[in-house]
Amino acid sequence: MAFNIGLLGLGTVGTSTAEILLDTAGRNSLLKEINIKQVGVNSLDKPRKVEFPEGVMTTDLEEIVKDPEIDIVVELLGGLEPARSLILQAIANGKHIVTANKAVIARHGDEIYTAANKAGVYVLLEAAVGGGIPIIKPLKQSLGVNRIKRVVGIVNGTTNYILTEMSANGADFDDVLAEAQKLGYAEADPTADVDGWDAADKIAILAAIAFGDRIKREDISCEGIRKINATDISYADKLGFVIKLLAISQQSQPDSLEVRVHPTLVPKEHPLANINDVYNAILVEGEPLGQVMFFGPGAGGGATASAVVSDILNIAGILKSSGKTHKLDPLLGCSHQHYAALTPIKDIETRFYVRFLCKDVPGVIGYLGTCFGNHQVSLESVVQIGFQGELAEIVVVTHDVPEGNFRQALGEIKHLDAIDSIPSVIRVL
Ligand code: HSE
């Protein structure tokens, strides 16, 4: 039995995917039965690392999703359109989908999976989260019996590289970003990475799988790393923390789910504190399992293509064993019907690190304590770190408090005569 695939996109991941499919020696023997029938690209004139027989490459992507001989469409275009429309057309034409596109699944997963279930086809997306790290299938299958309590991860390599460099060299955000762009680690337009959108797409997907309900992507509270600076990294270090961009989802109340992305002070002894450079890691906590951590390369052509081609193999395996009349395996598909209620950010309980610049007058620490106390914000530590010119620099770390209370207290504090400014507020894990 031979399987035909249509590849949409021949960028970094598309090229590595083709390379694996064309170099099958020593890999799973089923790969020999998989044939790249067509490759959809924007331009036929661009130089490519892989060569295909005449007629395989085309700029007509719609032709691929309609081709009756193609069994699996592999979408590696990225972005929302035309990816969404092409996926939906391919599904309507009875094709299985393999995609690495977290943005399209996080935002249009409802429409895509509803169509896929109706058409009886799979949409597999192992490559969409954590690049080469197996996390989607383990969550659906190997950990499927657990009551998941928490999924917390470093799921964006670009920001992890930037934060790691800032920590190691005391450098500022803009300088490290410029260097990362020069080295090709960060995109020319780094918005989706540095503002946390890419991580929010990924945690939307992980939370839906882990907790069994759809997640409204636009309701995820999302804060990126642009405001993180060398001063806070250095103070965090002195207090026993590193700063990481975490994507967090947890069931803190029985009927609502916390899903959020933000820079976070992580205790140095926490397993995620030591994940550096472009690496990703996802910590899953469940009952009865306890904790398990998935670690590895979260991006890059070869790593991501490893997940893409393994998804292709999965589908080929199913088609080979049960033919075109297969029934969808519920442990590989997605049958969520409802949207999870997300906990509003004001009700989320967390610790905070906050840095104040204050006039050096008697009683200022007392004023801060009183204002926080008025809003039931209990403090873990208050440290006067030093001076910036005439202004005293005070760092406060709170106990777990509802964010709404904390923000009300800050609103009051910023009007105190003794307070010059509040340069940083960062949540603490
Ligand atoms: N831009 C992503 C990152 C890789 O930096 O992790 C693709 O998901």
Side-chain angles (χ1 to χ4, degrees), residues 3 46 74 243 283 314:
F3 305 97
K46 208 169 144 180
V74 182
I243 300 181
L283 186 69
N314 256 296

Side-chain angles (χ1 to χ4, degrees), residues 102 155-158 193 198 202 299:
K102 60 256 156 187
V155 290
N156 183 269
T158 305
D193 292 318
D198 173 80
K202 291 168 177 168

